[in-house]
Amino acid sequence: MSEEAKVKSLAKALSVLNCFKDGNMHGVSEISEIMGLSKSNISDILSTFRDYGYLSQDSDTSRYRLGYAFLDMAHIVATSIGFHRTIYPFMKQLSDDVKETVYFAIPDGKEVLYLDAAYPLHEYATRTMLGDRAWMYCTGLGKAILSQYPDNELAAHCPCPLISFTPNTMTSLEVLQKDLDEIRKRGYAVDNMEHEFGIKCVAVPIVDAHQNPIAAISVSGPSLRFDETTIPQIGAKLMNLVPQISLLVNNIRFH
């Protein structure tokens, strides 16, 4: 909780809500222990969010998860900043071309925030990451963004320690730095099953007029379809697309 928060009770409630950013269900006792607050206090906060639709409660376990009210909010935000309207046609065209899923994300602290996705023609979206977050250091999108920061800022954009998600996750800043050097040379990042086993990703950064990273776009899919031939081909398609998307993104107000 921010020490500068003017409305302490609201800041406390939002801090409780942030416990659900991991996408899991949580109970009163668990959050009480995390927050260091009484169970009765936590229960009041959670039930209030439930009553307004921001949390839902499982009838069997009494545990809470994020509610559908956030879908309405997410739609309003996405529409207001114009990502879907301006960028999605390019994402969809690329997705149909390579027959894989295309993601668009922005940096948010040490994480990437997924804002949009396009799926290939006739493919049903069995999973969605819209609104999800992931650490930068172990995702294609995140590493593409990290490659645009100065070397001396790397640690500031990574958690400590670096968590291992798969055997391929880079858990050393030195190893990660070498990978970022390679990304800068070839122009695109590769997530070699570093965040999720069986999934590979190719991504490129999108920068502003001052070369600061403001977003990234990626192509993601089953690892068996991303081999030594297809990865460079996808990387080239992404790099060819970036100038058009960069022009659009830089015309959108992020803040």
Side-chain angles (χ1 to χ4, degrees), residues 125-137:
T126 56
R127 66 193 295 256
T128 177
M129 296 184 67
L130 303 188
D132 282 0
R133 297 170 183 270
W135 295 116
M136 286 197 196
Y137 73 93

Side-chain angles (χ1 to χ4, degrees), residues 22-35:
D22 60 5
N24 298 322
M25 297 182 68
H26 297 287
V28 172
S29 298
E30 182 182 355
I31 295 182
S32 173
E33 184 176 346
I34 293 173
M35 297 294 300

